[in-house]
Amino acid sequence: MKLAPAPEKLTRDLGKLLRPDQVSAADSHRLSYGRDSNSKAMLWVRQNEVKFPPWAVVWPETSREVAEVAAFANERGVPLIPFGGGSGVCGGTWALRGGIALDMKRMSRLLKVNTQAMEIRAQTGINGEILERELQRKSLTLGHFPSSIYVATLGGYLACRSAGQFSSRYGKIEDMVESIEVVLADGEIAELGSVKEVPGALDLKELFLGSEGTLGVLTEATLRVHPLPEKDLYWGFQFPSLEAGLGAMRRLLQSGLRPSVLRLYDELDTKIFLSHGEESTENWWQSLIGRRTEPLLNWTKELSLKFALKNPSLLRAGLALLPRACLLILGFQGKTEEVMRWARRAGSICAAAKGKDLGEKPGRRWLEHRYSVSYKLSPLFDAGYFADTMEVATTWDRLDGLYESIRQAMGRHALVMAHFSHAYPEGCSIYFTFIAYRDKEAENEKLYGQIWREALKACVAAGGTISHHHGVGILKAEFMPQEWGQAWPWLKSMKAALDPRNILNPGKLGFADA
C-alpha cells in the first residue's frame, strides 16, 4: 500500500529537533502507526487499507524532548497523537488529519521505588508486563492486570482510565495515582501532585486521567504499590440463573468483602467456558466452522454459521434453549489467614444464593488463560467474520435493565455474549462480545457501525456509562454530549483553554477534529 508523501519540510525540521533515529516518515512506520486494535480498522486491513496514517513518527526519550516536539507541533498547528502499545480498541490513536505520532515506548524507565512509602515513579512508555515483573522482583505489585498487559503501556492505562482484572480489590488505575507529569500543548511541563493534605483543593490530575491525549501528554507518574500477596485462592460457583449470580455478587461486595476476582458469565459465555475454558473463544469457533482435515464438514459448518449470523432471529431462538445456569469465578488475595476467612464468608453468601460450589478447577483455569481471549479475535477476521467487545457500567439497581437493553440492541444483528466483572459495592461493569457476518465487506463495515450506534443509544437510555475502562476514542465520540449532559460545554471550554490550536489528538473524546 503506497501512501501520499509526508510534508517534506515537517520531517526535515523534526530531524533537526531530534536525532535521525528518533524520526521517520517511512511508509512502513506510517502504516504501523495508522491504526490501533479497533475492529473497524481490522476490517480495513482485511481490504488492504489503512485510512489514517500520520505524516511522521517520532520516538522521544525524555520529557524535555516531548515538550520540544509539542511546542514544535503547536507552533505549526500540526496534530500530535500520543501512541503507547497500540492495544486500544476505540480508534484513540488514529491520525484523523495527519500529523505526528508520538511513540512513547522509549520512555520506559522505572525511575524510583520507595518501599517505605509504597510508591513508585515511572515513565509512561513502560510496558505493563515489564513494569509488573520489575515490581515482583522486589516483592511488590501494582495490582493492575488488564487483558492487554503484554502490549499496553502505563501511559495507555492512564489515558483511558484502565481497569485490571483485580480491580475489585486494588481499584482502577486512577485509584493508584499519586501524581503525574504532563506536557501541555505549548510545551510546558507541569507536575500535578496529590492534594490529599490540602482541604478543598481541586485535584487537577483527574482532568488529565482519561483524557486520551487530548489535553496533554502524560510523561511520568507516581503510583501506589502493594506487597505481593502471601496467598491467593480461586474457585467457581454455578448459579441457577443470572439474577441469582448477580445478587450474590452484590451481597459479597456490600458485605465488606473485597475479592480480587469476581466474574460472572451469562448463559452463553458460561456454556463456552465450561465446555472449553477461558481460552475457548477460538476453539469454540473452530468447532463451529470445522477443521481443514475435514473439508466437506468444514464447508457445511461454515455455510450454516454464516447463514445463522445473517439471520440473528435463528440465533436468538437457539440461545433461548440454553440452560440458564451461570458461572461465577471468585478469588481472594492477601495473608493466608485472611484469605481463608474471606473465602468462608463468601462461600456462605454464595450458598445462600443457591450457588453450587465447583471447587478450584474453574478458578485456576480462568487464572491460567485469563489473557488468552484478547488475542483470539484475529482468527475470526481471517475467517471472514467480525467481532468486537463493549464495556459499560452502571449501579446495581440499573444493571439488569442495562444488560437486557444492550443485549437486545446487539442481538438484532449479531451473536452476543457477556460477562460481569470490575464489580464494586455501588455497581458493576458489563463486558459484551459480539460476532457478526455479512457477505460483502461494505456490508460488514456498515453493520459494524450500526451495532455500535444502537448499542450505545441503548446504553445511554438505560442509564449506563458508555465506557468503564476502554476509553472513548473516535468509536464512542458521538455520544459524549449525552454522556456528559450539561457539563459537556464545560469540558469543551477546558479543551479550548488548554489546547487552543487543537493539536492534541484531535477528534477524540468527542472534541472536533478541525
Side-chain angles (χ1 to χ4, degrees), residues 174-186:
E174 63 265 29
D175 301 312
M176 306 171 187
V177 179
E178 288 292 345
S179 65
I180 56 173
E181 181 185 81
V182 59
V183 173
L184 302 178
D186 61 2

Side-chain angles (χ1 to χ4, degrees), residues 94 131 176 284 348 375:
W94 296 358
L131 173 59
M176 306 171 187
W284 184 67
S348 297
Y375 304 95

